[in-house]
Amino acid sequence: MRLIRYIILNSFGPFVVIIICFALAFGFLFPVLARGDLMSGSLSLFLFCTGIWLFALNPVSRLFVRDLPAWTSFTTFCLFLSPAGVALFIRSILPSQIFWPSRSAAMGFLAYAVLAVFFDFAGLFALHRTILPFNLLALSLACFTIVQLVRGVRAGSPEARILAAGIAVLLFFAVHDMALVFSASSGVLELRVSRMHYGMLGFVLSMAGVAAYRWKRMQHSLEDYSRGL
């Protein structure tokens, strides 16, 4: 029974999260192609990169993709690129709260991803040695994002409240995983069961919720404008 629970939590449950990420990523492509919407484009970029990265982490992926150096480089590139989508998304929903140049941050993560993979293929700098600097950069972006969200919540922004709820879910599962790792009472099997997929799902759904709220508000504005005419 314990083994079945482990398989469901560590493989099939997270795999459903991956399917949701890809489905939403394809869905947000349509507004991008139709009218070049920045918010939808940033969401699609983040969801594609996150879905590929989570897929690579999932043991089920071994049934579909061989563990080759090129695949590892590609998944790491997607991981490094995913914060660019977050930075552009924050820029699109909180334009009045921004004190951090989000567009520059997005371009910085793109350049970092390209250079990291290039140096790895060139044999100049191993790809695994670029993870720590990336984590520090991503942590810095997360801190700035949280500050912006706090300012947005204080200003009464519904988008900021929705996204803040998603980040709270993500942080909850992150703390849960850290507590599980450092818990002396946990068994070896339990240590390998990560809940970060579900935290990421909460964050992804909050971003989709912000997009849905934006579109609904836009529709109401068009209706009010039509009635005014």
Side-chain angles (χ1 to χ4, degrees):
M1 190 66 183
R2 193 181 183 190
L3 179 60
I4 294 175
R5 176 173 173 266
Y6 165 76
I7 293 174
I8 292 174
L9 289 175
N10 204 43
S11 296
F12 295 105
F15 198 71
V16 173
V17 177
I18 295 168
I19 294 174
I20 293 173
C21 284
F22 283 128
L24 289 173
F26 279 110
F28 283 112
L29 272 181
F30 292 103
V32 178
L33 298 176
R35 57 179 185 272
D37 183 43
L38 173 63
M39 182 181 65
S40 300
S42 61
L43 262 177
S44 186
L45 172 65
F46 170 74
L47 290 168
F48 271 124
C49 291
T50 301
I52 291 171
W53 173 60
L54 292 178
F55 177 75
L57 290 181
N58 197 313
V60 176
S61 65
R62 305 296 186 273
L63 301 175
F64 303 95
V65 181
R66 295 179 60 187
D67 194 10
L68 299 174
W71 170 245
T72 302
S73 298
F74 176 67
T75 56
T76 304
F77 174 80
C78 291
L79 171 63
F80 288 175
L81 189 58
S82 59
V86 177
L88 292 176
F89 181 77
I90 296 297
R91 179 178 182 271
S92 66
I93 67 170
L94 294 174
S96 62
Q97 303 295 330
I98 285 182
F99 61 92
W100 175 256
S102 298
R103 185 186 294 273
S104 299
M107 295 302 103
F109 277 106
L110 172 60
Y112 188 94
V114 172
L115 288 175
V117 175
F118 172 76
F119 288 150
D120 180 62
F121 275 112
L124 301 175
F125 207 74
L127 192 61
H128 68 88
R129 297 179 63 184
T130 60
I131 297 293
L132 180 59
F134 165 77
N135 287 336
L136 295 176
L137 291 173
L139 181 61
S140 300
L141 178 63
C143 291
F144 281 112
T145 299
I146 290 173
V147 172
Q148 290 176 224
L149 286 177
V150 170
R151 296 177 63 187
V153 170
R154 288 181 176 177
S157 170
E159 295 96 328
R161 287 198 294 267
I162 297 171
L163 194 58
I167 291 180
V169 173
L170 179 62
L171 291 176
F172 171 80
F173 282 102
V175 171
H176 172 275
D177 275 15
M178 288 187 290
L180 190 66
V181 169
F182 291 106
S183 175
S185 61
S186 296
V188 175
L189 185 65
E190 292 293 332
L191 289 175
R192 298 179 59 190
V193 178
S194 171
R195 306 294 197 276
M196 276 304 296
H197 287 78
Y198 305 108
M200 187 61 70
L201 176 62
F203 181 53
V204 164
L205 291 180
S206 70
M207 297 175 80
V210 169
Y213 174 82
R214 275 293 182 94
W215 289 337
K216 184 178 180 180
R217 191 174 66 178
M218 186 183 303
Q219 183 181 5
H220 287 170
S221 298
L222 290 175
E223 291 175 354
D224 293 340
Y225 180 75
S226 298
R227 284 195 295 267
L229 291 178

